[in-house]
Amino acid sequence: MFTTLTEKIEKVFKQLRGQAVLTEENITDALKEVRLALLEADVNFKIVKDFIENVRGKAVGQEVLKSLTPAHQVVKVVWEELRDLLGHEQSALHLSSQPPTVIMMVGLQGSGKTTTTGKLANYFKTEGKRVLLVAADPRRPAAGDQLASLGTDLDIQVHRGTNEGQPGAQALQTCLDGVARGREHGYDVVLLDTGGRLQIDQELMQELVDIQTGVSPQEVLFIADSMTGQEAVSVAERFNQTLGLTGVILTKVEGDARGGAVLSIRAATGKPIKFLGIGEKLDALEPFYPDRMASRILGMGDVLTLIEKAQESFSQEQAVALQKKVSSNTLTLEDFRDQIKQVNKLGSFDQILDMLPGGQKIKTMMGSGGAGNAQVPEKEMKRVVAIIDSMTPRERRDHTILNGNRKKRVAKGSGTSVPEVNRLIKQFLDARRMMKSLVGGQMGMGKGKKRGKLIRRAIHAR
């Protein structure tokens, strides 16, 4: 997401930094390029106009022009305006003081509403909450079957209604019964997966109004497909006028290189973006932070999110055990494979680069440009795992016994070649040597602890 926009804005800022002195003319020319980049990113033209005017009003002030680093001050102004455009600060879900918290999911058919309901259920489950899913789309039986399948995968109960009466009455009764069941059995959260349509119609809206009136949900979340761009914004506005939305979840953002919906929907509806769907897996849902997203757009990365993802993927016990093995030089190919699998949990290589400062430049150097060869690292890691999996447990624990015949067998089993097996062993030994030097050398235990404290302080400060 934002690949093209980030590239263009970085180019504009690079030109500004190349100026010995900034003038109003320099900034005006730069903002014309930023304006064009935002329009090409499919951001609403009225929102772009207001955004540029706000930036110009602050960027041409004497405080900026007379600064020792005027170009950096302009970047700061743009970052602040982007952050405000996206919502200024994170908006968390409102949980009821008396469980269950009822969350109503609404949106058009095909926006990923049912899958997102499953993702949100998984999010709450990882937070230690008991969740009940309610299939409230009687017109489309496949939606209920899909939700039931997701519930089975997540080990979460799904409430399904009867097939009696008109569809609208069925949907309302199913939601009422689901909420009553949630209250009776002590569930913390009840998620209502309401019906969608291919387009907005009066019947759909009346059905949703009836459900909202009947169950009084704490949250009414609009599920928007970011790939539809400005259409998602106009649909969200109509849902908001009828239901009074409390927030938005944007889906399929990993497939949208423009990001226009993300930048427009908050300003157009006045409702906060609460989550982003960043993949197909049930754990591919992340809370939305306006300041972090503004940093990503400007190519500054999002290190805090990367740290949080790492903390979720790596336990303290795993880190201590790995450190002991590295220190004693007993790291095996089995450990090497497990670490690769843990890194994969952080997201795709593209997503990790997006969270690193200057990540876009690395992608450009790799020749991916955000699309072309972006999947190469993932393929390479899968190849490495396949080679190690083709070894016997003894070979994984002691690579020195891998002679010529064993390597041929491993290569055949993994669909690779003997030179690739040799290259993997060399990479493993190089990585083990480097990790040992990091632990035992300048980045010793004392400095490691100090750095850990600094990271924790940075997170708490946010």
Side-chain angles (χ1 to χ4, degrees):
M1 187 175 55
F2 297 122
T3 298
T4 306
L5 179 61
T6 299
E7 285 179 354
K8 291 184 176 179
I9 289 181
E10 279 190 333
K11 194 177 291 182
V12 172
F13 288 154
K14 187 177 180 182
Q15 293 171 351
L16 278 182
R17 293 188 188 104
Q19 300 287 338
V21 178
L22 280 189
T23 63
E24 289 190 26
E25 288 73 22
N26 296 145
I27 294 174
T28 299
D29 291 342
L31 290 180
K32 283 181 182 177
E33 295 297 323
V34 172
R35 176 179 176 276
L36 185 61
L38 289 170
L39 290 173
E40 289 179 355
D42 200 24
V43 182
N44 183 279
F45 75 95
K46 291 180 180 176
I47 294 171
V48 172
K49 181 182 177 183
D50 291 342
F51 175 82
I52 294 298
E53 287 305 315
N54 290 340
V55 172
R56 180 183 284 109
K58 295 178 181 178
V60 299
Q62 295 303 308
E63 196 174 309
V64 170
L65 295 179
K66 292 186 177 180
S67 166
L68 292 174
T69 57
H72 288 90
Q73 291 294 322
V74 173
V75 174
K76 180 175 180 289
V77 168
V78 173
W79 178 85
E80 288 173 347
E81 287 301 317
L82 271 176
R83 178 200 60 191
D84 292 345
L85 178 66
L86 293 166
H88 192 76
E89 59 186 19
Q90 188 212 9
S91 178
L93 291 171
H94 174 65
L95 301 182
S96 174
S97 57
Q98 293 184 332
T101 295
V102 180
I103 299 177
M104 187 175 167
M105 312 287 277
V106 302
L108 295 183
Q109 190 175 314
S111 62
K113 181 166 48 61
T114 300
T115 302
T116 303
T117 303
K119 289 180 180 180
L120 192 57
N122 181 61
Y123 173 82
F124 279 119
K125 185 180 178 183
T126 58
E127 296 279 310
K129 299 190 182 300
R130 292 188 67 218
V131 184
L132 177 66
L133 294 170
V134 177
D137 187 357
R139 292 180 181 79
R140 198 166 66 92
D145 294 340
Q146 183 186 357
L147 197 66
S149 176
L150 292 172
T152 302
D153 292 342
L154 294 168
D155 192 23
I156 290 176
Q157 291 294 311
V158 178
H159 178 81
R160 300 184 72 168
T162 64
N163 294 320
E164 299 175 359
Q166 294 297 317
Q170 285 181 47
L172 173 58
Q173 193 59 50
T174 299
C175 290
L176 290 170
D177 292 344
V179 172
R181 177 180 168 182
R183 188 174 295 113
E184 183 180 343
H185 291 86
Y187 284 94
D188 298 305
V189 180
V190 176
L191 296 175
L192 309 178
D193 181 28
T194 65
R197 301 286 193 281
L198 292 175
Q199 58 185 4
I200 293 178
D201 59 50
Q202 188 57 40
E203 187 182 3
L204 164 67
M205 287 305 184
Q206 188 57 51
E207 180 180 307
L208 295 176
V209 168
D210 291 342
I211 292 173
Q212 184 183 30
T213 304
V215 301
S216 301
Q218 278 71 42
E219 293 274 0
V220 180
L221 301 179
F222 176 70
I223 315 305
D225 181 350
S226 65
M227 299 285 284
T228 57
Q230 288 307 301
E231 181 62 24
V233 178
S234 60
V235 173
E237 286 182 303
R238 293 184 63 186
F239 268 87
N240 185 44
Q241 289 167 4
T242 304
L243 297 171
L245 302 174
T246 60
V248 177
I249 298 179
L250 279 170
T251 65
K252 307 176 189 177
V253 296
E254 78 284 357
D256 181 19
R258 296 179 301 174
V262 180
L263 287 164
S264 300
I265 207 161
R266 171 68 174 78
T269 64
K271 303 301 176 183
I273 300 170
K274 302 219 171 185
F275 289 91
L276 296 178
I278 56 172
E280 296 179 2
K281 295 181 180 179
L282 289 173
D283 61 353
L285 185 75
E286 65 177 34
F288 182 76
Y289 293 88
D291 55 343
R292 300 183 189 184
M293 186 56 69
S295 295
R296 283 197 209 184
I297 294 171
L298 298 183
M300 299 173 184
D302 182 4
V303 177
L304 282 177
T305 297
L306 187 59
I307 291 170
E308 287 170 1
K309 283 178 174 285
Q311 287 178 330
E312 291 171 7
S313 301
F314 298 89
S315 69
Q316 185 67 28
E317 293 77 16
Q318 288 174 318
V320 171
L322 179 64
Q323 194 173 60
K324 286 181 180 177
K325 287 194 173 188
V326 171
S327 301
S328 59
N329 207 35
T330 57
L331 198 73
T332 66
L333 282 164
E334 208 163 47
D335 299 317
F336 191 56
R337 177 198 60 189
D338 292 343
Q339 291 307 303
I340 290 173
K341 288 182 177 179
Q342 292 282 16
V343 169
N344 283 338
K345 290 181 181 178
L346 297 178
S348 69
F349 192 71
D350 254 6
Q351 288 171 343
I352 293 172
L353 283 180
D354 284 340
M355 287 185 276
L356 292 173
Q360 189 61 48
K361 292 178 182 177
I362 297 174
K363 282 200 271 188
T364 303
M365 287 168 61
M366 290 174 58
S368 70
N373 299 321
Q375 297 302 314
V376 170
E378 275 87 351
K379 289 180 180 178
E380 190 60 37
M381 285 193 280
K382 286 178 182 177
R383 191 187 298 269
V384 167
V385 171
I387 292 173
I388 298 175
D389 282 344
S390 298
M391 299 176 186
T392 65
R394 187 183 166 201
E395 289 167 347
R396 291 187 209 120
R397 297 187 188 110
D398 182 9
H399 68 279
T400 60
I401 67 171
L402 284 165
N403 56 29
N405 288 332
R406 287 175 181 264
K407 288 177 182 176
K408 284 180 183 177
R409 189 200 76 247
V410 170
K412 188 175 181 181
S414 59
T416 57
S417 62
V418 172
E420 285 177 290
V421 176
N422 287 332
R423 185 162 64 248
L424 165 61
I425 294 170
K426 183 178 183 302
Q427 288 171 342
F428 162 66
L429 293 173
D430 289 343
R432 189 168 75 169
R433 197 178 304 114
M434 182 182 71
M435 290 170 75
K436 189 174 188 304
S437 68
L438 287 175
V439 171
Q442 290 181 352
M443 293 175 68
M445 293 295 291
K447 291 186 178 180
K449 288 179 182 176
K450 184 177 179 182
R451 189 177 51 164
K453 286 180 182 177
L454 290 173
I455 290 174
R456 283 193 292 274
R457 284 178 187 167
I459 293 172
H460 289 310
R462 299 301 285 242

